[in-house]
Amino acid sequence: MNEHDQCCSAERSTMRSDKIKSNLVSRLNRVEGQIRGIRGMVEKDVYCDDILNQIAAVQSALNAVGKILLEGHMRSCVMERIQQGDEEVIDELLKTMNKLMK
């Protein structure tokens, strides 16, 4: 298996390499910690601007996770389905990208 996701479209699951999975889990753990930190800031009545800056950092971190997943999805699942003649995957991908960009 290469570093990119490998799609099992019939089951709607994706096998990821240990390296990619570890990277994603590590990033998500940091986001989780940042969220707990923001909650603590709210509970301590920290200045609004400081909290908003932390929220922006969390959004950026989640966007980075989304980019990694999107790239892997496009290089594996989407490519595989297009090669099989399934052009509906493009509509699915566009819907997903619209959700990510809101």
Side-chain angles (χ1 to χ4, degrees), residues 11 30 54 61 68 79 87-88 99:
E11 298 177 24
R30 281 193 297 267
Q54 288 304 308
I68 292 168
M79 184 82 80
E87 294 183 15
E88 290 179 16
K99 289 177 187 176

Side-chain angles (χ1 to χ4, degrees), residues 62-85:
L62 280 174
N63 285 341
V65 170
K67 286 177 188 177
I68 292 168
L69 285 168
L70 181 60
E71 179 182 349
H73 181 57
M74 291 176 72
R75 290 184 185 274
S76 62
C77 301
V78 173
M79 184 82 80
E80 179 181 307
R81 287 176 61 187
I82 288 172
Q83 289 171 345
Q84 294 172 353

Side-chain angles (χ1 to χ4, degrees), residues 2-5 16-25 68-69:
N2 62 25
E3 285 190 18
H4 298 293
D5 299 352
R16 294 177 183 85
S17 71
D18 289 340
K19 181 179 177 182
I20 296 288
K21 194 181 301 188
S22 176
N23 183 8
L24 291 169
V25 168
I68 292 168
L69 285 168

